[in-house]
Structure formats: C-alpha cells, structure tokens
Amino acid sequence: MSETTQQQAGRLIIVSNRLPVVLERKDGALSTRPGSGGLVTALAPVLRDRGGIWVGWSGLPDSEQGEIDDALKGSSTSAGYELRAVPLTMQELDEYYHGFANEILWPLFHDLQSHCHFDPSYWEAYRGVNRKFAEHIHTAAAEKDFIWIHDYHLLTTATELRDMGVANSLGFFLHIPFPPPDIFFKLPWRFQILSAMLAFDLIGFQTMRDKRNFVQCVRMLLSEIAVRSEGGFHILKSGEREVRAGVFPISIDYAEFEQRAQDKEVAESAWYIHEALPDRQIVLGIDRLDYTKGIPYRLEAFRNALRRHPEMLEKITLVQVVVPSRVDIPKYNDLKIEIEQLVGEINGEFTRSGWVPIHYIFRHLTRGELLGYYRTAEIALITPIKDGMNLVAKEYVACNLESNGVLILSEFAGAVAQLHRDALLVNPYDIEGMSDALYTAFTMTYAERRRRMHRLRATVRRYDIYRWVESFLDAAVSRHLYDFPVISEYIPPSDSPDIGVSI
Ligand code: GDG
C-alpha cells in the first residue's frame, strides 16, 4: 500500500460470507484451522500490519455464539487480526445462501436465467441476513476504518449500514460477472439491488465488460443518477454522493504457486502421474461442480476431437477433476449425473487395452496433488460458459515451470481480458471449435508453446494478487483515480477465434 494510503487509513475491515478459517467439531469440541486461498493470503499481511477484523459466517449453522467466539479467539491471536462470526440459523442459510445467493443471483449473473428460482421468501431472508451482517460490522467498526465487503451474497449490506448511520468509506468487490441489462432486468428485485449497491463508495469489477453492464443497468433503471467517466472509473452521482466503479482483475499469489510447484511432494506427484499415463499428452480440466464451468460441452468437444483425429487416440488423456460443490441443490446433482454419463459413453466408445481416454476424478484434491496436475499437464482446457475470472487458468500458468504447456481458454472467462494474446481462445458452446483448438494444442511445436507460455507467465507474475489488493485499497482509501493497468475489453473477433499458431 502506498504511504499516503497508510497515513490516511484506519483499520481494515474485511467482510465476506464465510470467515477465512474452517471450524470443525471433533468429539464434541470445536477446533479451527486456517482457510486457504489467494484472498486470505493477500489480505492477511495487510490486516496484520494495519490492524483489522474479518467478519463472516463461521460455516456452522445453528451454533451457540459463545462457543464459536471462544473457538475463534485462538485463531484471531495466531492470525494477527480479529475474526468475528455472524451467526446464521439453518433456515437463514437455506433461504439466503442456498436460495437467494445460489439459486437466483449466481445463475442470473452468469446469464442462466432459466436456472433461477425466484422465490419471494428468499428475498426477505437475503435482506434480513444482509442486515444482520451490517449490525455486526456496525458494532465492530470505528470511525476511520475502511470496510471492504465481498461478493454477491452481500449486495445490500452497504445500504443497511447507511441506514444505521455508518458514514465510513465502503468498498465492494464482485467476484462473479455482472450481467447485461436484458438479463439483470429479469430480477424481480432489480431496483432494490441496484439502488442498494449505490450505497458503496467504490465498486470493483473483474472486467470492463462487467463494469459496463453495471453502468448500463444504472443508466437505464435509475435515470436520475448522473454518470461520467474519469481516469478509468465511472462515477455515478446521486445528489452529493459519488460512487466510483472500477476494474480490478483478481489474481493469485504467483510467487507462492511457482515456489510450491518446485516442492519435492509436487515433483513426486507429477512423476507418478506421468508414470501412470506414459507417452501421451495430458489435458487437464479442474472445476468445481458447477453448470457455469461448461463441463458437458467440453467432454463433447473431446469426443469430437477423438472422432475427427484418430492420431490422437492413445496419445492423449483428459484428466477431468470435478470438485464436489453445492450438492444439495438439485440442478448440481443433475449435472453430476450428466457428466458421469458422458464420461462413461466416451470411455466406452474409445477405451483400448492400456488406454482410457478420460480419467474422471470426483473429489477435492490436496494442494500437492493439484499442483502435481498443474505441473504435469501439457494442455489446460478451461472452458466455462461464463466466469468472473477463473483462477485455475492463472494457477496453471504459474505452475508451468517448464513453459511447455498450452492454455485453452474460454472467451467468456474474465481471465481472457489479460491472457487473450497467448492462450488459444474458444467459444465454449462451439464443440467443433474447441475440438480444433485441442488439435492445435496437441500438434503445437515446443518453440511456439514456450513463446506463448513465457508471455503468459510474465503477465500473471506482474499482475498478482498483491497488486490487486494494493490497487483496490489505494483507489478506495486515497481516492486515487486509477492505478491499475488499463485493461482493454476482450471482444471476440468477427471471424473465427484466433486459434492459429503464429509464426
Ligand atoms: C469465484 C468466481 C473468480 C479447485 N479445485 C481444487 C482446488 N481448487 C481451487 C483452485 C482455485 C479455486 O479453487 C477455484 O477458483 P476459480 O476462480 O476457478 O472459481 P470459483 O470457485 O468459481 O471462484 C471466479 C473467483 O471467485 C475469484 O474472484 O475467479 O470467477 O466464480 O483457487 O485452486 N483447490 C484444491 N483442491 C482442489 O481439488 N486444493
């Protein structure tokens, strides 16, 4: 963080749906272990240095608050910042989290309105839980603290805070896409959500596309708001209040991934994977079980490539890891059945003695295993139908120490805005196009792979998670207009996507 920012700032209060620790009950007693992930890694040093609090749900519904607070005390001390739990009942969890957040906002913001379940009771619960979060923040915050709220679960928290008289500077970052007006307007509570968002002071999006969609929605739905653009931001003015909207593409701790990829454990795991799958290229897909990740289309594309390019038979294996997620929601279980059926069909059609085309893994990998796959795979096939950013793409690049990998990336992942020059881009609905990209990757020369991967690695190294945190905080606290590299919007080419190999 810049010196000016540090001088002007109070503490930092981070708010997210979940706390960055995992609470577990063993033999009746609660224990905690640190959570993982780039966000915690990047924010922890800032929280420690500057002093701060992380507010979020503990992960255990219907728990006794005193017991949770006691369990969190130890973690707060070892983390060097305070953890404060917002208690949620099972009913709140069902209606606010599974319901409004994951059966309405998640599908709608990923352009899948047909997956939405617009149950009015979900809205009441969402408002109620956002109010509850606001009450806990209100109790925790002092006058000069900067409050940074994360993600779609908490879109209406700022307006609740303002209603309670909280005048602190409030930042918000949306990790998922923001949809265009014709989709956003399907939301029965579109007016309330959009107006509530204007109670923040700074709103960060992953891409220019998301920011543009948001600004268009404001222009069309809230015509009394004056909008101007200045120094990379859109500034939305309502009376005396100004809200700034900017673009801050999230990233990873590049140095940590690169370092960890060299560990003995990872090297061994990579060696075992190659031993088990000798003389062939490994194509890697890693996704949470989610319909936005485009897994069935990807499997169809792999089948199409095997049918059209017999020289790939026995020379390529797709390792598809699906990490269990939201399995209580029926749509997710349907997706699991669909994936497993397709894997069965494809393996049934092509398997030969000694070669199974798809290795399907349905479980959470350890970090060592995950990095082992990143290091080993010659091709990463990342084809979400829509994705805020997609960190798997960046992690693969950081772990590709030999610079021999090819990144095949969806045009609709946020990461495309930064990686489009050197990845092979695909439309995730275009089965033949993805199959062509697979063949292009399969036959790409080492020199070409190296050239592309070098540039990809340089980009991810330069714009890492630390730069992301710093840019957002600098913009929010010192009201710098913009210090993130200006990122152009990715617009698909008018002919077919560039999957050709440049000379
Ligand atoms: C949301 C937005 C945005 C995955 N499998 C395993 C595992 N992972 C880790 C990866 C990566 C993370 O999970 C997945 O991050 P993504 O960005 O790909 O996707 P979402 O979970 O949907 O995240 C997304 C992100 O927020 C950040 O703003 O990019 O667009 O949807 O870090 O490494 N980790 C381990 N085992 C696994 O099996 N250990």
mmCIF file with all atom_site columns, all heavy atoms in Angstrom, residues 49 136 203 228 281 305 322 336 376 400 428 453 468-470:
data_model
loop_
_atom_site.group_PDB
_atom_site.id
_atom_site.type_symbol
_atom_site.label_atom_id
_atom_site.label_alt_id
_atom_site.label_comp_id
_atom_site.label_asym_id
_atom_site.label_entity_id
_atom_site.label_seq_id
_atom_site.pdbx_PDB_ins_code
_atom_site.Cartn_x
_atom_site.Cartn_y
_atom_site.Cartn_z
_atom_site.occupancy
_atom_site.B_iso_or_equiv
_atom_site.pdbx_formal_charge
_atom_site.auth_seq_id
_atom_site.auth_comp_id
_atom_site.auth_asym_id
_atom_site.auth_atom_id
_atom_site.pdbx_PDB_model_num
ATOM 1   N N   . ASP A 1 49  ? -0.655  -5.844  9.459   1.00 0.00 ? 49  ASP A N   1
ATOM 2   C CA  . ASP A 1 49  ? 0.140   -4.620  9.560   1.00 0.00 ? 49  ASP A CA  1
ATOM 3   C C   . ASP A 1 49  ? -0.702  -3.443  9.995   1.00 0.00 ? 49  ASP A C   1
ATOM 4   O O   . ASP A 1 49  ? -0.295  -2.595  10.772  1.00 0.00 ? 49  ASP A O   1
ATOM 5   C CB  . ASP A 1 49  ? 0.766   -4.248  8.201   1.00 0.00 ? 49  ASP A CB  1
ATOM 6   C CG  . ASP A 1 49  ? 1.772   -5.287  7.802   1.00 0.00 ? 49  ASP A CG  1
ATOM 7   O OD1 . ASP A 1 49  ? 2.088   -6.144  8.640   1.00 0.00 ? 49  ASP A OD1 1
ATOM 8   O OD2 . ASP A 1 49  ? 2.220   -5.258  6.632   1.00 0.00 ? 49  ASP A OD2 1
ATOM 9   N N   . HIS A 1 136 ? -23.376 -6.469  12.726  1.00 0.00 ? 136 HIS A N   1
ATOM 10  C CA  . HIS A 1 136 ? -22.074 -6.916  13.253  1.00 0.00 ? 136 HIS A CA  1
ATOM 11  C C   . HIS A 1 136 ? -20.946 -5.989  12.807  1.00 0.00 ? 136 HIS A C   1
ATOM 12  O O   . HIS A 1 136 ? -20.021 -5.721  13.573  1.00 0.00 ? 136 HIS A O   1
ATOM 13  C CB  . HIS A 1 136 ? -21.798 -8.366  12.834  1.00 0.00 ? 136 HIS A CB  1
ATOM 14  C CG  . HIS A 1 136 ? -22.582 -9.345  13.655  1.00 0.00 ? 136 HIS A CG  1
ATOM 15  N ND1 . HIS A 1 136 ? -22.023 -10.069 14.673  1.00 0.00 ? 136 HIS A ND1 1
ATOM 16  C CD2 . HIS A 1 136 ? -23.892 -9.675  13.620  1.00 0.00 ? 136 HIS A CD2 1
ATOM 17  C CE1 . HIS A 1 136 ? -22.969 -10.817 15.236  1.00 0.00 ? 136 HIS A CE1 1
ATOM 18  N NE2 . HIS A 1 136 ? -24.117 -10.599 14.600  1.00 0.00 ? 136 HIS A NE2 1
ATOM 19  N N   . ILE A 1 203 ? -16.910 0.475   -6.149  1.00 0.00 ? 203 ILE A N   1
ATOM 20  C CA  . ILE A 1 203 ? -17.337 -0.874  -6.526  1.00 0.00 ? 203 ILE A CA  1
ATOM 21  C C   . ILE A 1 203 ? -16.340 -1.407  -7.545  1.00 0.00 ? 203 ILE A C   1
ATOM 22  O O   . ILE A 1 203 ? -16.099 -0.775  -8.584  1.00 0.00 ? 203 ILE A O   1
ATOM 23  C CB  . ILE A 1 203 ? -18.759 -0.864  -7.141  1.00 0.00 ? 203 ILE A CB  1
ATOM 24  C CG1 . ILE A 1 203 ? -19.734 -0.208  -6.162  1.00 0.00 ? 203 ILE A CG1 1
ATOM 25  C CG2 . ILE A 1 203 ? -19.206 -2.270  -7.495  1.00 0.00 ? 203 ILE A CG2 1
ATOM 26  C CD1 . ILE A 1 203 ? -21.166 -0.155  -6.672  1.00 0.00 ? 203 ILE A CD1 1
ATOM 27  N N   . ARG A 1 228 ? -20.552 9.916   -15.225 1.00 0.00 ? 228 ARG A N   1
ATOM 28  C CA  . ARG A 1 228 ? -19.468 10.417  -16.062 1.00 0.00 ? 228 ARG A CA  1
ATOM 29  C C   . ARG A 1 228 ? -18.282 9.472   -15.923 1.00 0.00 ? 228 ARG A C   1
ATOM 30  O O   . ARG A 1 228 ? -18.211 8.670   -14.974 1.00 0.00 ? 228 ARG A O   1
ATOM 31  C CB  . ARG A 1 228 ? -19.071 11.839  -15.658 1.00 0.00 ? 228 ARG A CB  1
ATOM 32  C CG  . ARG A 1 228 ? -18.433 11.968  -14.304 1.00 0.00 ? 228 ARG A CG  1
ATOM 33  C CD  . ARG A 1 228 ? -18.066 13.427  -13.996 1.00 0.00 ? 228 ARG A CD  1
ATOM 34  N NE  . ARG A 1 228 ? -17.130 13.535  -12.911 1.00 0.00 ? 228 ARG A NE  1
ATOM 35  C CZ  . ARG A 1 228 ? -17.429 13.480  -11.627 1.00 0.00 ? 228 ARG A CZ  1
ATOM 36  N NH1 . ARG A 1 228 ? -18.696 13.311  -11.255 1.00 0.00 ? 228 ARG A NH1 1
ATOM 37  N NH2 . ARG A 1 228 ? -16.493 13.595  -10.698 1.00 0.00 ? 228 ARG A NH2 1
ATOM 38  N N   . GLN A 1 281 ? 0.015   -36.914 -24.148 1.00 0.00 ? 281 GLN A N   1
ATOM 39  C CA  . GLN A 1 281 ? -0.187  -35.579 -23.585 1.00 0.00 ? 281 GLN A CA  1
ATOM 40  C C   . GLN A 1 281 ? -1.385  -35.618 -22.637 1.00 0.00 ? 281 GLN A C   1
ATOM 41  O O   . GLN A 1 281 ? -2.403  -36.243 -22.931 1.00 0.00 ? 281 GLN A O   1
ATOM 42  C CB  . GLN A 1 281 ? -0.426  -34.567 -24.700 1.00 0.00 ? 281 GLN A CB  1
ATOM 43  C CG  . GLN A 1 281 ? 0.789   -34.384 -25.596 1.00 0.00 ? 281 GLN A CG  1
ATOM 44  C CD  . GLN A 1 281 ? 0.652   -33.175 -26.510 1.00 0.00 ? 281 GLN A CD  1
ATOM 45  O OE1 . GLN A 1 281 ? 0.090   -32.154 -26.146 1.00 0.00 ? 281 GLN A OE1 1
ATOM 46  N NE2 . GLN A 1 281 ? 1.192   -33.304 -27.719 1.00 0.00 ? 281 GLN A NE2 1
ATOM 47  N N   . ALA A 1 305 ? -12.985 -34.431 -30.972 1.00 0.00 ? 305 ALA A N   1
ATOM 48  C CA  . ALA A 1 305 ? -11.572 -34.434 -31.389 1.00 0.00 ? 305 ALA A CA  1
ATOM 49  C C   . ALA A 1 305 ? -11.083 -35.869 -31.601 1.00 0.00 ? 305 ALA A C   1
ATOM 50  O O   . ALA A 1 305 ? -10.366 -36.146 -32.570 1.00 0.00 ? 305 ALA A O   1
ATOM 51  C CB  . ALA A 1 305 ? -10.720 -33.738 -30.327 1.00 0.00 ? 305 ALA A CB  1
ATOM 52  N N   . VAL A 1 322 ? -13.500 -32.954 -10.969 1.00 0.00 ? 322 VAL A N   1
ATOM 53  C CA  . VAL A 1 322 ? -14.694 -32.198 -10.598 1.00 0.00 ? 322 VAL A CA  1
ATOM 54  C C   . VAL A 1 322 ? -14.747 -32.179 -9.069  1.00 0.00 ? 322 VAL A C   1
ATOM 55  O O   . VAL A 1 322 ? -14.758 -33.235 -8.431  1.00 0.00 ? 322 VAL A O   1
ATOM 56  C CB  . VAL A 1 322 ? -15.968 -32.823 -11.203 1.00 0.00 ? 322 VAL A CB  1
ATOM 57  C CG1 . VAL A 1 322 ? -17.199 -32.060 -10.745 1.00 0.00 ? 322 VAL A CG1 1
ATOM 58  C CG2 . VAL A 1 322 ? -15.887 -32.856 -12.722 1.00 0.00 ? 322 VAL A CG2 1
ATOM 59  N N   . LYS A 1 336 ? -24.060 -33.582 -12.248 1.00 0.00 ? 336 LYS A N   1
ATOM 60  C CA  . LYS A 1 336 ? -23.127 -34.675 -11.930 1.00 0.00 ? 336 LYS A CA  1
ATOM 61  C C   . LYS A 1 336 ? -23.510 -35.933 -12.722 1.00 0.00 ? 336 LYS A C   1
ATOM 62  O O   . LYS A 1 336 ? -22.666 -36.591 -13.335 1.00 0.00 ? 336 LYS A O   1
ATOM 63  C CB  . LYS A 1 336 ? -23.174 -34.950 -10.414 1.00 0.00 ? 336 LYS A CB  1
ATOM 64  C CG  . LYS A 1 336 ? -22.272 -36.062 -9.964  1.00 0.00 ? 336 LYS A CG  1
ATOM 65  C CD  . LYS A 1 336 ? -22.224 -36.102 -8.443  1.00 0.00 ? 336 LYS A CD  1
ATOM 66  C CE  . LYS A 1 336 ? -21.284 -37.180 -7.928  1.00 0.00 ? 336 LYS A CE  1
ATOM 67  N NZ  . LYS A 1 336 ? -21.905 -38.505 -7.868  1.00 0.00 ? 336 LYS A NZ  1
ATOM 68  N N   . THR A 1 376 ? 2.222   -31.204 -14.506 1.00 0.00 ? 376 THR A N   1
ATOM 69  C CA  . THR A 1 376 ? 2.360   -32.284 -15.477 1.00 0.00 ? 376 THR A CA  1
ATOM 70  C C   . THR A 1 376 ? 1.613   -32.019 -16.773 1.00 0.00 ? 376 THR A C   1
ATOM 71  O O   . THR A 1 376 ? 2.070   -32.449 -17.843 1.00 0.00 ? 376 THR A O   1
ATOM 72  C CB  . THR A 1 376 ? 1.762   -33.591 -14.894 1.00 0.00 ? 376 THR A CB  1
ATOM 73  O OG1 . THR A 1 376 ? 2.135   -33.670 -13.544 1.00 0.00 ? 376 THR A OG1 1
ATOM 74  C CG2 . THR A 1 376 ? 2.242   -34.798 -15.638 1.00 0.00 ? 376 THR A CG2 1
ATOM 75  N N   . ASN A 1 400 ? 3.519   -23.843 -14.476 1.00 0.00 ? 400 ASN A N   1
ATOM 76  C CA  . ASN A 1 400 ? 4.095   -24.458 -15.672 1.00 0.00 ? 400 ASN A CA  1
ATOM 77  C C   . ASN A 1 400 ? 5.578   -24.095 -15.788 1.00 0.00 ? 400 ASN A C   1
ATOM 78  O O   . ASN A 1 400 ? 5.993   -23.312 -16.642 1.00 0.00 ? 400 ASN A O   1
ATOM 79  C CB  . ASN A 1 400 ? 3.292   -24.011 -16.910 1.00 0.00 ? 400 ASN A CB  1
ATOM 80  C CG  . ASN A 1 400 ? 3.530   -24.936 -18.081 1.00 0.00 ? 400 ASN A CG  1
ATOM 81  O OD1 . ASN A 1 400 ? 4.169   -24.565 -19.052 1.00 0.00 ? 400 ASN A OD1 1
ATOM 82  N ND2 . ASN A 1 400 ? 3.049   -26.147 -17.986 1.00 0.00 ? 400 ASN A ND2 1
ATOM 83  N N   . PRO A 1 428 ? -17.056 -21.595 -25.715 1.00 0.00 ? 428 PRO A N   1
ATOM 84  C CA  . PRO A 1 428 ? -17.329 -22.854 -25.015 1.00 0.00 ? 428 PRO A CA  1
ATOM 85  C C   . PRO A 1 428 ? -18.586 -23.582 -25.486 1.00 0.00 ? 428 PRO A C   1
ATOM 86  O O   . PRO A 1 428 ? -18.839 -24.712 -25.076 1.00 0.00 ? 428 PRO A O   1
ATOM 87  C CB  . PRO A 1 428 ? -17.481 -22.407 -23.559 1.00 0.00 ? 428 PRO A CB  1
ATOM 88  C CG  . PRO A 1 428 ? -17.870 -20.969 -23.638 1.00 0.00 ? 428 PRO A CG  1
ATOM 89  C CD  . PRO A 1 428 ? -17.189 -20.415 -24.840 1.00 0.00 ? 428 PRO A CD  1
ATOM 90  N N   . MET A 1 453 ? 3.825   -19.387 -23.511 1.00 0.00 ? 453 MET A N   1
ATOM 91  C CA  . MET A 1 453 ? 3.795   -19.573 -22.053 1.00 0.00 ? 453 MET A CA  1
ATOM 92  C C   . MET A 1 453 ? 4.674   -18.555 -21.332 1.00 0.00 ? 453 MET A C   1
ATOM 93  O O   . MET A 1 453 ? 4.318   -18.077 -20.253 1.00 0.00 ? 453 MET A O   1
ATOM 94  C CB  . MET A 1 453 ? 4.200   -21.015 -21.707 1.00 0.00 ? 453 MET A CB  1
ATOM 95  C CG  . MET A 1 453 ? 4.014   -21.397 -20.254 1.00 0.00 ? 453 MET A CG  1
ATOM 96  S SD  . MET A 1 453 ? 2.404   -20.977 -19.485 1.00 0.00 ? 453 MET A SD  1
ATOM 97  C CE  . MET A 1 453 ? 1.333   -22.279 -20.082 1.00 0.00 ? 453 MET A CE  1
ATOM 98  N N   . TRP A 1 468 ? -3.354  -6.561  -6.863  1.00 0.00 ? 468 TRP A N   1
ATOM 99  C CA  . TRP A 1 468 ? -4.806  -6.387  -6.863  1.00 0.00 ? 468 TRP A CA  1
ATOM 100 C C   . TRP A 1 468 ? -5.259  -5.715  -5.550  1.00 0.00 ? 468 TRP A C   1
ATOM 101 O O   . TRP A 1 468 ? -6.006  -4.728  -5.564  1.00 0.00 ? 468 TRP A O   1
ATOM 102 C CB  . TRP A 1 468 ? -5.458  -7.766  -7.031  1.00 0.00 ? 468 TRP A CB  1
ATOM 103 C CG  . TRP A 1 468 ? -6.951  -7.777  -6.943  1.00 0.00 ? 468 TRP A CG  1
ATOM 104 C CD1 . TRP A 1 468 ? -7.834  -7.399  -7.913  1.00 0.00 ? 468 TRP A CD1 1
ATOM 105 C CD2 . TRP A 1 468 ? -7.740  -8.194  -5.825  1.00 0.00 ? 468 TRP A CD2 1
ATOM 106 N NE1 . TRP A 1 468 ? -9.126  -7.562  -7.462  1.00 0.00 ? 468 TRP A NE1 1
ATOM 107 C CE2 . TRP A 1 468 ? -9.090  -8.053  -6.194  1.00 0.00 ? 468 TRP A CE2 1
ATOM 108 C CE3 . TRP A 1 468 ? -7.442  -8.685  -4.559  1.00 0.00 ? 468 TRP A CE3 1
ATOM 109 C CZ2 . TRP A 1 468 ? -10.145 -8.377  -5.333  1.00 0.00 ? 468 TRP A CZ2 1
ATOM 110 C CZ3 . TRP A 1 468 ? -8.490  -9.005  -3.694  1.00 0.00 ? 468 TRP A CZ3 1
ATOM 111 C CH2 . TRP A 1 468 ? -9.821  -8.853  -4.090  1.00 0.00 ? 468 TRP A CH2 1
ATOM 112 N N   . VAL A 1 469 ? -4.787  -6.243  -4.433  1.00 0.00 ? 469 VAL A N   1
ATOM 113 C CA  . VAL A 1 469 ? -5.172  -5.681  -3.128  1.00 0.00 ? 469 VAL A CA  1
ATOM 114 C C   . VAL A 1 469 ? -4.728  -4.225  -3.029  1.00 0.00 ? 469 VAL A C   1
ATOM 115 O O   . VAL A 1 469 ? -5.497  -3.336  -2.640  1.00 0.00 ? 469 VAL A O   1
ATOM 116 C CB  . VAL A 1 469 ? -4.543  -6.495  -1.962  1.00 0.00 ? 469 VAL A CB  1
ATOM 117 C CG1 . VAL A 1 469 ? -4.720  -5.770  -0.634  1.00 0.00 ? 469 VAL A CG1 1
ATOM 118 C CG2 . VAL A 1 469 ? -5.163  -7.871  -1.883  1.00 0.00 ? 469 VAL A CG2 1
ATOM 119 N N   . GLU A 1 470 ? -3.474  -4.009  -3.417  1.00 0.00 ? 470 GLU A N   1
ATOM 120 C CA  . GLU A 1 470 ? -2.906  -2.672  -3.301  1.00 0.00 ? 470 GLU A CA  1
ATOM 121 C C   . GLU A 1 470 ? -3.682  -1.669  -4.160  1.00 0.00 ? 470 GLU A C   1
ATOM 122 O O   . GLU A 1 470 ? -4.001  -0.564  -3.706  1.00 0.00 ? 470 GLU A O   1
ATOM 123 C CB  . GLU A 1 470 ? -1.456  -2.752  -3.772  1.00 0.00 ? 470 GLU A CB  1
ATOM 124 C CG  . GLU A 1 470 ? -0.616  -1.593  -3.377  1.00 0.00 ? 470 GLU A CG  1
ATOM 125 C CD  . GLU A 1 470 ? 0.854   -1.893  -3.720  1.00 0.00 ? 470 GLU A CD  1
ATOM 126 O OE1 . GLU A 1 470 ? 1.310   -3.007  -3.451  1.00 0.00 ? 470 GLU A OE1 1
ATOM 127 O OE2 . GLU A 1 470 ? 1.495   -1.003  -4.280  1.00 0.00 ? 470 GLU A OE2 1
#
